[in-house]
Amino acid sequence: MNQIPASEERTASATPGYDDPYLDTLAAIEQRVLWLATSVIHHANRVRPNVSGIKVGGHQASSASIATIMTSLWFGQLRPEDRVSVKPHASPVLHSINYLLGCLDEKYLTTLREFGGLQSYPSRSKDPDPVDYSTGSVGIGATAPIWGAISRRYTETVSGTPNRGRQYSLVGDAELDEGAIWEAVLDSSVAELGEIVWIVDLNRQSLDRVVPNIAAGKIERLFAAAGWQVITVRFGHLLESLMGRPGGDALRQRIVNMSNPEYQRLLRCSAPELRDRIPGAGAGRDAITDLISTVDDHTLFRAIRNLGGHDLAALRDAYAQIDDSRPTVIIAYTVKGNGLPTEGHPQNHSSLLTAGQYRELAERFGENADAPWNRFDSSTAEGRLIFNTAEVLQRDAEVPVAPPQVPTDLGRTPSGTATTQAALGRALLDIKRAAPDVARRVVTVSPDVSSSTNLAGWVNKVGVWSVEERQNWFSDDSETVMHWRENPTGQHIELGIAEVNLVGLISELGATWSRWGQPLFPIGVLYDPFVERALEPWSYGIYAGGQSILVGTPSGVTLAPEGGAHQSIKTPSIGLEQPGCISYEPAFALEAEWTLLAAMAQMGRPGGKSAYLRLSTKPVDQQLAEIPEDPAARERRRRQVVAGGYLLRTVKNPSATIVTMGALVPDAIAAADRLGAQGRPVDVVCVTSPGLLYEALQSRNGQKENAETWILDQILPPERAVPMITVLDGHPHTLAFLANVNQVKSRNLGVSQFGQSGDIDDVYRYHGIDVDSIIRAALDVAE
């Protein structure tokens, strides 16, 4: 990779002097932070043995572009109650700062991207040093502090203790291409969150190139339109001082109008080239030429690099302007690779310094390439500032509140006809009656579908959470069934129609137990077809330690009249595949209650899990559940339901076993009745959680630890091993593995094509999951 001549490079990158001794001290710390971050990546790639030969990687240039911003933030702005989300590729900078502050042992500096070492991107759960927000998936880490701010405010209403601090996001400009960013920024609730501060690292480069059309003006207008305060830090104090001289207005206009690639090219130029290129060919050329002729090479090199994001004084001025009554975005112009030999190169995103470049950098910075992990002596100004910062940022240990004990059974036995979707709302109201301490920590979230997912009764009971109380202008309207009472003590949060926002919020609500010692039971409700849209950010929230319940309803092709676009197919297998999550698909109302309570009972604690409930709007005769009246037998059924399934129907000498789940249980029972009438009796197994059954099978095979296997013996005992038919309203592979429990022949029915509009019987027939199809499969497999 080409680089500017070494002699000029040293001059260009020299640490600038400030009139303020504090800023000079901070500049020295900034240089040490950059050196450490560069060294952490260098050691992982150039020093540590690489047996596999696979690239380790790291992002020296991305780290360099934000080192000034992060140094100025940590060593002058942060308070212990503040939290920061660091852009993924700047993780080495975060670790370097933590090392200087005494929060990270030196032994970890050589372990970047090593098994058990420093993670590729900041991780709350896997890194050994303090990390406020896990980042790494573009857009999700940036928006997490928004949902963290809401979660923090919500915990105040539960604990009664004010608990406020700024929530910072350090965002790369290319990350603003992610739609999830704007879904969050534009949500109406965000404009009231004055503790939100974003700092955009505007280095105008992506992975492959200098992005030609990144325009700060457009970004400014987008944030301003959403109600945010916008602060732009374009130039540093040195460049501003030049622009204050005669000809400075022309220089300012020239640089402002310059394209991103042209400006980046200036960073690779020698002094004669700079003097030739900077004036350009416009009307101000002569004025600019005269101005820079009065500037020596050293100052010219420093000035062209003196963007606001690398000027500690300019950043300090920007922080002083923050208005805490509304969200703020600081757009800071930076240079990717600032201070490194790869500075400004269009392909420097993943480039690594050579061994020679690294040693030259050590010489320029006054460091030792062979012993790179130096801290400042405590007697120096830098050492004192670091010590004082560490003292200031020391956080008091949160005293965790134990989550209240969740009941296992609320005592209700539904009768008549009911749906599992309606059972959710009923169960929440019953929890408020039977266990008010538990109900107080329940918070529901939906993207404008509260009424259509049967939460209206719950919302009427507990109210809607908002930053401040708002008047309900329809409170005296007798025809208004749903009462929208908004106040800071409400327990339902309504977002706009953006599923990514929903799962981001429930993930942060589900992390309050570990952040601030206040456990919550967040339950997000959305239409099941859109679970996949939200799955990646929800999965990332689980990875980051958030424990929440996601409810998908209505679901499947059972939603026949709505058409194929609203019929979910692949969602039933989520519980098989998603780490840190248990999925349930209950068939009956009581099962919906039991599984909801079981899911809540595993939240708000170390080692807890999230849960996904797939519910239906299909009316089902509750008598088909055959709930035992004897308390002990009822408890046995409940334990089986929350463990993954149960034997719903048994016969003396079964010819086959029908294994079914959710909305298709009544159809499986109807098929069993008809088969019995033909002299071909069958067992019927009702599965409630394919994922738990799969874990039990893996454990039985010695492939998974700590998973109980007793449920397999109870629902699929070896002595009743007969051919199997699996059927569900979803992809057939979800239950296909169950034939391996006893190594039996099987036929697997389900939905593997896009849905169709129509009557439910016609749609079931189209997909081959109707009663006749089940019977034919049973006859085929039993032959």
Side-chain angles (χ1 to χ4, degrees), residues 402-449:
Q405 185 172 355
V406 179
T408 57
D409 191 335
L410 300 176
R412 184 186 296 273
T413 304
S415 59
T417 300
T419 72
T420 52
Q421 176 179 291
L424 171 69
R426 178 73 261 174
L428 289 173
L429 291 173
D430 285 346
I431 292 171
K432 188 165 182 63
R433 169 186 53 80
D437 55 336
V438 173
R440 184 64 193 91
R441 294 181 179 271
V442 171
V443 52
T444 55
V445 184
S446 69
D448 198 34
V449 292

Side-chain angles (χ1 to χ4, degrees), residues 102-123:
C103 301
L104 181 68
D105 193 281
E106 180 181 321
K107 67 180 181 181
Y108 286 107
L109 298 181
T110 60
T111 66
L112 180 69
R113 302 191 175 201
E114 184 178 75
F115 185 81
L118 299 177
Q119 299 300 296
S120 305
Y121 310 121
S123 171

Side-chain angles (χ1 to χ4, degrees), residues 722-777:
V722 288
M724 178 183 296
I725 307 95
T726 64
V727 58
L728 75 154
D729 185 357
H731 200 282
H733 76 77
T734 307
L735 299 178
F737 73 92
L738 288 171
N740 293 326
V741 173
N742 291 316
Q743 301 296 314
V744 298
K745 293 193 300 181
S746 68
R747 294 289 186 274
N748 309 115
L749 309 181
V751 180
S752 53
Q753 303 178 63
F754 287 118
Q756 299 283 339
S757 295
D759 180 79
I760 191 171
D761 291 335
D762 292 334
V763 171
Y764 278 9
R765 191 176 304 111
Y766 170 77
H767 291 288
I769 57 175
D770 58 310
V771 174
D772 287 349
S773 296
I774 298 171
I775 292 172
R776 285 195 297 270

Side-chain angles (χ1 to χ4, degrees), residues 444-446 450 455 458-459 462-465 484 490-494:
T444 55
V445 184
S446 69
S450 300
L455 287 184
W458 164 257
V459 173
V462 301
V464 177
W465 182 87
W484 213 252
Q491 292 182 244
H492 176 75
I493 301 177
E494 188 92 350

Side-chain angles (χ1 to χ4, degrees), residues 187-203:
D187 193 273
S188 60
S189 62
V190 174
E192 300 174 302
L193 303 175
E195 61 266 46
I196 295 296
V197 179
W198 282 23
I199 305 175
V200 177
D201 172 13
L202 194 78
N203 60 44

Side-chain angles (χ1 to χ4, degrees), residues 223-246:
F223 277 102
W228 290 48
Q229 177 193 21
V230 179
I231 301 170
T232 300
V233 190
R234 187 186 292 272
F235 304 126
H237 281 57
L238 174 59
L239 190 51
E240 285 285 1
S241 69
L242 291 182
M243 291 175 177
R245 300 182 185 181

Side-chain angles (χ1 to χ4, degrees), residues 66-102:
I66 202 169
T68 315
I69 293 171
M70 291 181 65
T71 301
S72 67
L73 193 62
W74 259 264
F75 296 96
Q77 299 300 319
L78 290 186
R79 301 164 298 174
E81 62 268 27
D82 298 336
R83 298 292 185 272
V84 187
S85 172
V86 177
K87 74 172 189 175
H89 293 161
S91 66
V93 181
L94 176 61
H95 298 311
S96 298
I97 289 174
N98 281 337
Y99 171 65
L100 290 178
L101 291 172

Side-chain angles (χ1 to χ4, degrees), residues 176 182 202 215-234 329-333:
L176 297 178
W182 301 107
L202 194 78
K218 180 176 69 175
I219 296 171
E220 291 168 2
R221 291 190 296 274
L222 286 169
F223 277 102
W228 290 48
Q229 177 193 21
V230 179
I231 301 170
T232 300
V233 190
R234 187 186 292 272
V329 59
I330 298 172
I331 299 173
Y333 281 69

